[in-house]
Amino acid sequence: MWIAELIIKHDCLIGNKCEQFKVSTLSVPFNLYVEKETTYSPEFHTLWGDEKNIEEFIKAVKKDKELQEIEVDGNKIFLVEVTKKKIPVTVKAHQQQKIIWTKPININIKGEEHWEVASWDKKYLINFIAEVEKISKYVIIKSMKNTHLRDIYYTKLLPDLSPKQKEALTLALEEGYYSWPKRTDLHQLARKMNTSVSTFREHLRKAEVKLMPDLIRQI
């Protein structure tokens, strides 16, 4: 199996607004369909960031002309995106049957999309990337290798976290608390969240406890 890790930056309904409102998402694309060169893309997004930023993000998405349907539940949204351009139809539909999306798409606060895609034949990946480049500001190929597919992940609805737990976990991720070596510590994170170290630690611990069982089941 050929597996490629890519970073994509292009104009899209979600990516542009992630950059505008400093919100990141974990996104799962579902089966799509095409009618008269229009692509209909159902997607599920879990939003991460400041609560007010998420509210503004959702308001902006609801006003976007490329949105057809949307359901909102806290920081989770299910929507159908409509694209009426020929090239995205080629990328999303023509190549879809030959490409496997092995993980959810992460879109960061810069509007960059992190993709991991796979195919039995390297030429399909190369063709897919060439099509994506036509509609992108840039495409970075982090890796492309022929290896066994050992890790494939489809998300389920994530456990409910309180607003403070979401904020603490998002801040820790974005500031590099889970990086090696660590780029920050609890004291710095607590200051950024304008709270005490003990309170920040408690928010983070409770968030980790809620998420950990589902993560362990994926190993």
Side-chain angles (χ1 to χ4, degrees), residues 10-182:
H10 68 117
D11 288 323
C12 74
L13 172 64
I14 298 298
N16 291 351
K17 292 173 181 57
C18 283
E19 186 172 18
Q20 180 181 356
F21 297 102
K22 303 305 177 188
V23 170
S24 61
T25 82
L26 189 66
S27 308
V28 181
F30 295 101
N31 291 339
L32 49 81
Y33 62 97
V34 180
E35 290 181 356
K36 298 179 180 179
E37 296 185 339
T38 298
T39 304
Y40 298 86
S41 308
E43 305 162 5
F44 184 85
H45 299 269
T46 302
L47 309 176
W48 299 91
D50 180 82
E51 192 171 358
K52 291 182 180 178
N53 290 352
I54 289 176
E55 291 176 1
E56 294 301 316
F57 175 99
I58 293 172
K59 287 179 183 178
V61 168
K62 287 181 176 179
K63 295 177 182 178
D64 198 291
K65 62 183 180 180
E66 292 189 345
L67 177 73
Q68 186 186 55
E69 305 285 351
I70 187 169
E71 289 184 359
V72 179
D73 183 8
N75 71 323
K76 302 176 180 67
I77 59 175
F78 180 78
L79 59 84
V80 179
E81 180 180 355
V82 178
T83 307
K84 297 182 179 180
K85 302 172 186 175
K86 291 185 179 181
I87 292 178
V89 169
T90 302
V91 172
K92 291 184 177 180
H94 180 68
Q95 299 284 354
Q96 186 78 6
Q97 295 179 350
K98 302 170 185 176
I99 298 295
I100 300 168
W101 296 81
T102 60
K103 292 181 181 178
I105 298 169
N106 172 247
I107 308 177
N108 63 24
I109 60 175
K110 298 178 182 178
E112 295 174 331
E113 302 187 14
H114 293 249
W115 296 1
E116 184 174 291
V117 291
S119 181
W120 292 105
D121 194 323
K122 184 179 181 180
K123 70 180 180 182
Y124 294 135
L125 279 182
I126 293 173
N127 292 341
F128 178 76
I129 293 169
E131 292 293 326
V132 172
E133 288 175 336
K134 295 177 182 178
I135 62 166
S136 300
K137 297 176 180 178
Y138 55 82
V139 176
I140 300 171
I141 303 174
K142 292 182 63 180
S143 67
M144 185 184 297
K145 55 189 176 182
N146 188 6
T147 184
H148 291 290
L149 183 60
R150 297 186 178 92
D151 182 20
I152 188 165
Y153 176 76
Y154 281 90
T155 188
K156 71 179 189 66
L157 294 181
L158 295 173
D160 286 329
L161 304 180
S162 73
K164 291 297 183 182
Q165 290 164 10
K166 293 174 190 173
E167 184 179 355
L169 185 61
T170 301
L171 190 61
L173 285 168
E174 292 181 349
E175 294 295 321
Y177 180 74
Y178 295 106
S179 301
W180 183 258
K182 288 187 177 183

Side-chain angles (χ1 to χ4, degrees), residues 177-191:
Y177 180 74
Y178 295 106
S179 301
W180 183 258
K182 288 187 177 183
R183 302 198 306 270
T184 189
D185 58 32
L186 290 176
H187 292 273
Q188 293 173 311
L189 293 172
R191 281 199 299 271

